[in-house]
Amino acid sequence: MEAAEAGPGPQPELDEDEAAYGRRWGAQHAGARELAALYSPGKRLQEWCCVVLCFGLIAHNLVHLLLLARWEHTPSVMLGVVAGALIADFLSGLVHWGADTWGSVELPIVGKAFIRPFREHHIDPTAITRHDFIETNGDNCLVTLLPLLNMAYQLRTQSPEALEQLYAWECFVFCLIIFGTFTNQIHKWSHTYFGLPRWVVLLQDWHVILPRKHHRIHHVSPHETYFCITTGWLNYPLEKMGFWRRLEDLIQGLTGEKPRADDMKWAQKIK
């Protein structure tokens, strides 16, 4: 504290090892710069198309569900919200674990388009906070397009009587889609420590969505636990069960592939 009050003095020059350590994580990491440069105009166009289509279908389906709503549907809707959140949390963990643990940026089609962001995120965790709405949510919108299209078809073609019988199911599917669509936005908020809306902070504090402190556990190298990033509700029980570790042991035994080998390769690019 006394040194700070005295004002900054001459700073010692860093040797090569110290300079490399300073570039280990963050936007200046060599691997992070290389991965960020792989974000292409074609990928941007795909994300724009998916976001526009996805939110158009969400609006369409929500209007139809609201028109069919009755007070007696309330218990089934509430159950659908909770079930949708739980399953979305598990699916977010499964996708996150799979992309973190296996595969390579060099894989055709999916490597640069879908695995690249996961590699970048571990060596520059705050990069996601610099992504706009389109880049943050484009891939999740792509994943939810088919179920949204199927729901829109059902709502348009089924009779009122059939829709009354299917209402609880359709509400569950819609809640699952909503949580899935916004998973990466929730993930982004878990890395954002300034300027969040008050309602987002309250949802994090109440653990309705992934809290910031909770998600830090995943970002301890080698990033082998707490993969669920929608609500984070399932992280503790899955960790106590050794779920991801057992799954990795099984796959490694069958394929001989080492978990997180590609992730470690990018983390070690310091020059």
Side-chain angles (χ1 to χ4, degrees):
M1 187 69 182
E2 292 176 2
E5 290 172 356
Q11 299 297 311
E13 292 186 5
L14 297 176
D15 62 28
E16 186 175 346
D17 289 340
E18 289 171 319
Y21 182 81
R23 297 191 300 270
R24 188 176 179 187
W25 309 116
Q28 298 308 311
H29 185 286
R33 295 197 304 270
E34 185 176 342
L35 288 163
L38 295 175
Y39 183 65
S40 67
K43 176 65 176 171
R44 181 71 173 180
L45 177 61
Q46 169 250 304
E47 290 170 346
W48 259 107
C49 293
C50 291
V51 168
V52 170
L53 287 171
C54 177
F55 280 90
L57 287 166
I58 285 174
H60 171 276
N61 294 347
L62 177 60
V63 168
H64 279 74
L65 288 173
L66 289 175
L67 290 173
L68 293 167
R70 304 287 184 271
W71 281 112
E72 54 267 28
H73 293 147
T74 302
S76 60
V77 170
M78 293 176 65
L79 181 61
V81 170
V82 175
L86 279 168
I87 295 177
D89 198 40
F90 177 75
L91 292 176
S92 76
L94 191 63
V95 172
H96 187 187
W97 166 81
D100 271 6
T101 310
W102 311 107
S104 164
V105 176
E106 283 74 37
L107 284 173
I109 303 175
V110 298
K112 291 181 181 178
F114 301 108
I115 294 178
R116 176 197 66 83
F118 290 87
R119 299 294 177 268
E120 180 188 15
H121 184 58
H122 282 171
I123 51 183
D124 185 9
T126 60
I128 192 173
T129 66
R130 302 189 295 274
H131 296 169
D132 64 5
F133 187 85
I134 301 299
E135 187 174 356
T136 300
N137 299 290
D139 288 341
N140 288 61
C141 288
L142 172 63
V143 171
T144 56
L145 274 180
L146 281 179
L148 280 167
L149 283 166
N150 180 65
M151 177 179 283
Y153 176 78
Q154 297 294 332
L155 291 170
R156 282 284 188 177
T157 59
Q158 295 283 355
S159 67
E161 294 76 16
L163 288 174
E164 177 67 25
Q165 293 181 340
L166 290 170
Y167 191 79
W169 171 256
E170 295 295 347
C171 284
F172 158 71
V173 172
F174 186 74
C175 291
L176 175 59
I177 289 170
I178 291 298
F179 279 110
T181 299
F182 284 98
T183 285
N184 213 35
Q185 184 65 52
I186 293 168
H187 180 208
K188 176 180 177 178
W189 287 333
S190 76
H191 284 278
T192 306
Y193 285 83
F194 304 99
L196 282 177
R198 179 62 180 161
W199 63 271
V200 172
V201 176
L202 287 173
L203 290 177
Q204 290 177 332
D205 290 345
W206 296 337
H207 207 151
V208 176
I209 61 175
L210 183 69
R212 291 168 289 186
K213 187 175 181 179
H214 180 95
H215 186 52
R216 286 183 213 160
I217 298 170
H218 172 71
H219 279 275
V220 176
S221 184
H223 312 97
E224 59 186 5
T225 188
Y226 276 46
F227 292 99
C228 300
I229 55 172
T230 304
T231 63
W233 297 345
L234 295 178
N235 279 321
Y236 181 76
L238 289 174
E239 177 62 18
K240 295 301 288 183
M241 292 165 54
F243 181 81
W244 305 115
R245 185 179 65 256
R246 294 171 190 271
L247 204 52
E248 287 170 15
D249 290 344
L250 176 64
I251 292 173
Q252 186 173 9
L254 292 172
T255 67
E257 292 292 323
K258 185 178 179 181
R260 286 170 290 280
D262 189 63
D263 196 50
M264 184 60 66
K265 182 191 78 172
W266 285 97
Q268 291 172 344
K269 288 193 175 190
I270 61 174
K271 294 184 180 180

